[in-house]
Amino acid sequence: MATGAVDEPISIPPPVAELESIVVSEGGAPIAPAAEARPAKHRSLAKIKSGVQQLATLVGVDKRKISRLGSSARMGLKGLRFFDNASGGKDGWKTVEKRFDELAVHGRLPKDQFGRCIGMGESKEFAGELFVALTRRKSLDAEMGITKDDLKEFWKEMDQNFDSRLQIFFDMCDKNGDGKLTQNEVEQVIALSASANKLAKFKAHAATYAALIMEQLDPDGLGYIEISQLETLLRGMVSSQKTEKKLKRTHSIARSMIPKQYRYPITRFVGRTMDFFHDNWKRIWVLCFWLTLNAVLAAWKFHQYRRKTAFEVMGYCVCIAKAAAETVKLNMALILFTVCRNTLTWFRSTCLNSVFPFDDNINFHKIIALAVTIGALVHTLAHVTCDFPRLITCPSSKFMRTLGPNFHYKQPTYPSLLASVPGVTGILILVIMAFSFTLATHSFRRNVVKLPSPLHHLAGFNSFWYAHHLLAVAYVLLIVHSYFIFLTKEWYKKTTWMYLVVPIIFFVSERSIRKVRETGFSVSIVKAAIYPGNVLSIHMKKPPGFSYKSGMYLFIKCPDVSPFEWHPFSITSAPGDEHLSVHIRTLGDWTTELRNLFGKVCQVQINLKKANLVRLETTVIADIESDDTSFPKLYIDGPYGAPAQNYDKYDILLLIGLGIGATPFISILKDLLNNMEINQNDDANDFKVTGPQSAYFYWVTREQGSFEWFKGVMNEVAESDHNNIIDMHNYLTSVYEEGDARSALIATVQALQYSKSGVDVVSGSRIRTHFARPNWRKVFSDLANAHKASRIGVFYCGSSALTKQLRDLSLEFSHNTTTRFYFHKENF
């Protein structure tokens, strides 16, 4: 069953190993401080230690062997820490001391500042309980605060060894200090840990999870557990640390074995340059061709006006202006092709896809827009600052002889030039372009800019969308502008319409196709659901003739929200599924309104499952067959091509989704499952489905409720993938990494329940959830070792913050191993 990386079920060790694990010091020497100076629970440890030594003698167990067993147990538990890794180390105390000086009041650190001081600022409640436990151990008044010397003692205890950290953690759980943990005390610490890790639903089941722990560690029904059972409970929760250290040593060795072509500065530069050209050759040749085309047209127009009579009056200024105008005409034509999505989708399925980077159409669109901006500015500045002044100051006799016919033998003035048809249309074009291009920048489009009312409506996707449609007016003005220019009279020499006619035909055809689809692809909604995290799931009947590949996306329009706006969303259903589905996260005005419309007509159904270890599910679900349900009308347009649609040409898949970025890969996973079923059903006929041999899916999210979105798919994969074709990994970044005391009981409950029922208590699915963020270098290294000489397609959908790291790792491991990684970023 493909359930990701699953730890072995926790087992209770033999009595000798269990007891010895708590009485052997870090170095293996017995702990034997004076019993009189200890509290009762500490004296009990001394008795346990003495009993272990006697037991070892009786049963003939070698003392050194027991010592090794205990040391081994603690080596796996060294990660039971109370502060982040960044706060530790030999310089950790210096940082804490500096914070103390900043936060202390009259030389004493109050309880509410303890978390910030030790690097646990985001877990104030947890840090407060830790503070109380530490002060209780020293018989200090927690309300009075602690001195720097007290803090240093606390720091040493928390950073000393596992025995000390385990005792502190036990004291924090043991509220009444009797050396025993009751179910109520365990429940309180679980709730505290859940709050620190932002697991609201986990906290709601703290009592159930505490009962599970007592069931495992108190089989005799005594009603409490002791420190020895607590150590057993936490055993193995940081087993990944040894692997991590081994990985770091491996990387150090790898760095010392640098290939020959990277050893010296010159060869390293040449090698990296060759690698860059090898990985980006399609982008490079297209950009070079485009730049060359712009340069040739500009040079041709410059040379043409160099020989005209207008040159006698305006000189090189008119040559520069006309050369820039020629590039503007070319790029205004090309930019339309980059948004002809139907055409690009068709080209993706042809052999041209191996030569042209069609997946980069949005990036090329932005580059062309920049070229249009530069060309328009150069054209305008050359005219208004150079050509116009020369025209109006030119001697009348010379003007009439050279340019008189072009101006009806009337020498213009500066105001008359600006008020002319070319002048007015040129100004309007610049205003529209400036407005549209500004609202298309990241700061405005993503609503990063916070403008005062009523200007705040200028920021956001809606403003970008509507402003971009003003460019249709700019195209009309551009044709009018070129038709009424002064220096050319023959219509066939006014070439702007020649540049634009074909692209405009393509663009209008695309819009016409969308209009036809709007009437033909009016969909019937089968089901809608609103999941935690404000994600709307819509299942629709597949329209006749709607054929698509996994990884593609479509556009949706809801007239009840806006009669004009279309928004793109990844298709989450597989081509073989009966229904068409999308998952829409509420991020802007349009999606918020759509979610509200569906929320109004949906029937709220809260499924409270029986009080076991299955999480609380709260979803909003409705069925179109209900008489009292009327969903908003939707229209769809598509499908359109995306990088992920070509997933089937790779041997192995690495699918990485951040949050809602998992949507394009859910369709791929479903498609792989469908292919598995076809393959299994047709084994007798020796039928073999082509495509990837296996797939690795990494889903990273920061909200526990996100796992509700695709829980059904994850369970289906776990139950159907008998040949381990799909390897799924869920990561929850709101939980502290394994080894942190704040997530110790969370990880333990998770392991206990998973070994018992095969259900993950965090995600509610059969896929095990990991904490914190993945070690991407380790992921790539493991894949390179497991699939040597294979072609691995890396598909990523999420925030741009991770793009560079994944791209760099793909290049690095492609160059340094026999495995080839091909990185693709989903763009909308």
Side-chain angles (χ1 to χ4, degrees):
M1 180 162 53
T3 57
V6 178
D7 296 334
E8 293 294 328
I10 292 179
S11 59
I12 307 298
V16 173
E18 175 181 328
L19 294 175
E20 186 62 25
S21 65
I22 65 168
V23 298
V24 181
S25 67
E26 189 78 21
I31 302 174
E36 299 82 13
R38 294 178 165 195
K41 57 189 171 187
H42 290 246
R43 291 198 298 271
S44 68
L45 292 181
K47 292 180 181 179
I48 293 174
K49 184 206 77 170
S50 176
V52 169
Q53 300 300 335
Q54 295 176 15
L55 180 61
T57 303
L58 289 173
V59 299
V61 179
D62 185 22
K63 180 180 178 180
R64 289 173 296 178
K65 183 175 181 180
I66 297 178
S67 176
R68 286 194 300 272
L69 287 171
S71 299
S72 175
R74 281 186 305 282
M75 287 299 290
L77 293 164
K78 275 190 175 183
L80 184 60
R81 58 184 180 275
F82 297 93
F83 39 78
D84 299 330
N85 284 327
S87 301
K90 63 179 182 180
D91 295 330
W93 169 248
K94 292 181 180 179
T95 304
V96 173
E97 188 177 23
K98 182 179 179 181
R99 292 194 193 122
F100 179 92
D101 295 335
E102 296 172 354
L103 302 173
V105 179
H106 304 300
R108 302 187 76 86
L109 183 71
K111 173 184 174 182
D112 59 351
Q113 297 293 345
F114 180 70
R116 286 182 60 191
C117 190
I118 67 170
M120 200 183 283
E122 296 183 357
S123 309
K124 290 184 178 180
E125 190 178 356
F126 192 93
E129 292 296 328
L130 176 61
F131 182 86
V132 170
L134 290 169
T135 53
R136 187 170 61 235
R137 287 162 57 90
K138 298 291 184 181
S139 299
L140 300 175
D141 186 354
E143 299 301 324
M144 295 295 294
I146 58 174
T147 65
K148 186 183 292 186
D149 291 336
D150 294 332
L151 179 62
K152 191 170 185 179
E153 288 297 319
F154 292 168
W155 182 264
K156 288 181 179 179
E157 290 182 8
M158 289 187 295
D159 196 37
Q160 188 176 9
N161 53 45
F162 168 71
D163 295 313
S164 176
R165 293 193 292 270
L166 177 63
Q167 189 65 63
I168 292 172
F169 188 74
F170 186 88
D171 290 344
M172 196 179 79
C173 302
D174 185 15
K175 303 294 183 181
N176 57 11
D178 62 354
K180 301 174 183 178
L181 298 185
T182 64
Q183 180 171 333
N184 184 56
E185 289 173 327
V186 173
E187 179 184 343
Q188 292 182 45
V189 179
I190 289 177
L192 193 65
S193 300
S195 296
N197 291 279
K198 301 179 181 64
L199 299 176
K201 295 184 179 181
F202 193 98
K203 183 178 179 180
H205 291 277
T208 306
Y209 301 147
L212 172 66
I213 290 177
M214 298 302 292
E215 176 187 341
Q216 293 291 325
L217 299 182
D218 183 27
D220 298 327
L222 299 177
Y224 63 85
I225 60 175
E226 296 180 327
I227 193 170
S228 58
Q229 282 88 9
L230 180 63
E231 178 183 352
T232 300
L233 183 70
L234 302 176
R235 187 185 304 276
M237 69 179 181
V238 289
S239 58
S240 61
Q241 288 192 354
K242 284 187 177 181
T243 305
E244 187 71 20
K245 291 180 179 179
K246 182 179 179 181
L247 179 66
K248 290 181 179 178
R249 289 196 298 269
T250 304
H251 289 161
S252 299
I253 296 173
R255 282 195 294 270
S256 65
M257 300 174 63
I258 301 175
K260 184 177 180 180
Q261 64 268 31
Y262 296 103
R263 291 179 187 173
Y264 307 103
I266 296 178
T267 57
R268 183 164 58 247
F269 174 78
V270 173
R272 289 178 176 174
T273 302
M274 294 299 293
D275 292 339
F276 176 80
F277 276 93
H278 178 268
D279 295 320
N280 298 278
W281 68 270
K282 287 195 287 187
R283 298 184 181 95
I284 291 172
W285 92 259
V286 169
L287 284 175
C288 288
F289 177 76
W290 172 71
L291 289 171
T292 302
L293 191 58
N294 275 271
V296 169
L297 287 174
W300 168 72
K301 187 58 70 171
F302 184 96
H303 183 68
Q304 185 184 67
Y305 271 81
R306 175 67 180 80
R307 297 181 297 173
K308 287 194 173 185
T309 55
F311 182 78
E312 298 181 30
V313 177
M314 292 178 280
Y316 287 103
C317 297
V318 70
C319 299
I320 295 173
K322 292 300 182 179
E326 203 69 16
T327 65
V328 170
K329 291 186 284 186
L330 170 68
N331 291 315
M332 287 291 283
L334 290 178
I335 203 169
L336 288 176
F337 282 116
T338 61
V339 292
C340 291
R341 294 185 177 88
N342 288 297
T343 304
L344 293 175
T345 300
W346 181 78
F347 276 132
R348 275 188 174 95
S349 61
T350 67
C351 59
L352 292 177
N353 192 45
S354 61
V355 181
F356 290 90
F358 293 116
D359 292 338
D360 289 329
N361 64 307
I362 299 300
N363 292 327
F364 195 43
H365 181 87
K366 296 175 182 178
I367 293 174
I368 297 175
L370 178 61
V372 169
T373 303
I374 294 173
L377 288 176
V378 171
H379 174 76
T380 302
L381 290 174
H383 272 327
V384 300
T385 64
C386 186
D387 289 335
F388 288 6
R390 291 194 177 197
L391 279 172
I392 62 179
T393 60
C394 177
S396 179
S397 59
K398 183 179 181 180
F399 176 83
M400 294 302 175
R401 177 177 55 85
T402 55
L403 297 176
N406 299 90
F407 290 86
H408 305 288
Y409 296 98
K410 182 179 179 180
Q411 190 167 357
T413 62
Y414 209 101
S416 67
L417 288 172
L418 293 178
S420 64
V421 174
V424 172
T425 55
I427 292 171
L428 290 175
I429 290 171
L430 283 179
V431 171
I432 292 174
M433 284 185 174
F435 184 70
S436 300
F437 292 179
T438 300
L439 297 189
T441 58
H442 179 270
S443 298
F444 281 88
R445 183 165 47 87
R446 295 294 185 182
N447 213 6
V448 177
V449 175
K450 302 301 179 183
L451 299 175
S453 180
L455 297 178
H456 65 279
H457 292 295
L458 292 177
F461 183 85
N462 287 347
S463 299
F464 152 75
W465 193 88
Y466 285 112
H468 244 53
H469 281 72
L470 286 176
L471 290 172
V473 179
Y475 275 92
V476 174
L477 292 174
L478 182 61
I479 295 174
V480 174
H481 178 82
S482 65
Y483 184 80
F484 288 96
I485 56 177
F486 297 110
L487 302 181
T488 303
K489 294 300 181 180
E490 298 84 355
W491 68 271
Y492 55 88
K493 292 184 179 180
K494 300 174 181 180
T495 58
T496 301
W497 67 273
M498 299 179 186
Y499 280 98
L500 298 180
V501 62
V502 174
I504 287 178
I505 289 174
F506 268 84
F507 185 78
V508 171
S509 299
E510 294 256 342
R511 293 293 168 168
S512 301
I513 292 173
R514 169 173 285 186
K515 200 64 181 176
V516 171
R517 284 174 174 170
E518 183 175 336
T519 57
F521 285 173
S522 175
V523 293
S524 299
I525 301 174
V526 177
K527 184 180 70 172
I530 299 176
Y531 294 111
N534 275 329
V535 169
L536 170 65
S537 170
I538 303 175
H539 293 255
M540 303 163 278
K541 290 184 179 179
K542 194 181 299 183
F546 190 89
S547 177
Y548 64 96
K549 295 181 180 179
S550 292
M552 287 185 167
Y553 66 98
L554 53 76
F555 279 81
I556 290 180
K557 182 174 80 169
C558 179
D560 293 334
V561 179
S562 171
F564 307 110
E565 294 182 41
W566 292 85
H567 292 262
F569 300 100
S570 296
I571 301 173
T572 53
S573 56
D577 291 349
E578 294 181 0
H579 300 119
L580 186 67
S581 67
V582 293
H583 286 67
I584 303 171
R585 185 165 193 179
T586 302
L587 293 174
D589 298 339
W590 190 89
T591 51
T592 300
E593 184 62 25
L594 184 71
R595 185 258 184 218
N596 292 338
L597 286 175
F598 273 87
K600 289 177 183 178
V601 298
C602 285
Q603 299 174 351
V604 180
Q605 296 179 356
I606 302 178
N607 300 323
L608 297 176
K609 301 204 173 182
K610 58 183 180 179
N612 55 18
L613 292 178
V614 179
R615 296 188 307 104
L616 172 68
E617 279 190 319
T618 304
T619 57
V620 181
I621 305 174
D623 196 311
I624 193 63
E625 296 177 356
S626 301
D627 296 335
D628 57 345
T629 302
S630 177
F631 287 110
K633 191 70 174 177
L634 293 184
Y635 297 98
I636 63 172
D637 176 41
Y640 292 111
Q645 77 176 71
N646 295 319
Y647 74 92
D648 54 356
K649 71 179 184 180
Y650 296 103
D651 304 323
I652 308 295
L653 295 180
L654 174 57
L655 311 174
I656 302 171
L658 264 59
I660 198 64
T663 50
F665 308 131
I666 295 300
S667 175
I668 293 176
L669 295 178
K670 287 184 176 180
D671 198 29
L672 290 174
L673 279 177
N674 292 341
N675 288 340
M676 287 180 208
E677 295 177 0
I678 294 174
N679 196 16
Q680 292 170 0
N681 294 335
D682 294 355
D683 273 344
N685 300 326
D686 295 327
F687 178 81
K688 182 175 179 58
V689 177
T690 60
Q693 301 170 6
S694 59
Y696 298 82
F697 177 50
Y698 284 80
W699 186 16
V700 184
T701 182
R702 62 184 176 209
E703 298 175 2
Q704 182 187 8
S706 302
F707 295 119
E708 293 280 359
W709 306 344
F710 308 116
K711 186 170 67 174
V713 177
M714 291 188 288
N715 286 333
E716 189 177 356
V717 169
E719 295 167 1
S720 304
D721 186 17
H722 304 295
N723 297 322
N724 296 324
I725 303 296
I726 302 173
D727 194 3
M728 300 187 70
H729 302 264
N730 293 338
Y731 281 82
L732 186 60
T733 59
S734 67
V735 181
Y736 291 95
E737 64 182 333
E738 295 176 355
D740 195 299
R742 287 165 285 186
S743 62
L745 289 184
I746 303 292
T748 305
V749 169
Q750 181 195 46
L752 286 172
Q753 174 58 19
Y754 197 87
S755 64
K756 180 179 180 180
S757 65
V759 176
D760 182 73
V761 294
V762 178
S763 67
S765 70
R766 296 185 178 278
I767 307 300
R768 184 74 175 271
T769 302
H770 305 281
F771 301 151
R773 290 174 173 80
N775 183 334
W776 294 116
R777 178 171 291 276
K778 182 178 185 301
V779 170
F780 277 80
S781 177
D782 291 346
L783 286 177
N785 291 329
H787 303 284
K788 296 180 180 179
S790 297
R791 300 171 73 254
I792 299 181
V794 182
F795 296 93
Y796 168 66
C797 186
S799 64
S800 57
L802 191 58
T803 303
K804 184 178 185 303
Q805 181 184 359
L806 294 176
R807 181 182 285 113
D808 291 345
L809 287 172
S810 298
L811 295 176
E812 177 184 342
F813 281 90
S814 293
H815 299 154
N816 298 336
T817 67
T818 59
T819 307
R820 293 292 173 264
F821 293 85
Y822 299 88
F823 179 78
H824 304 274
K825 169 72 167 67
E826 293 290 317
N827 293 307
F828 289 132

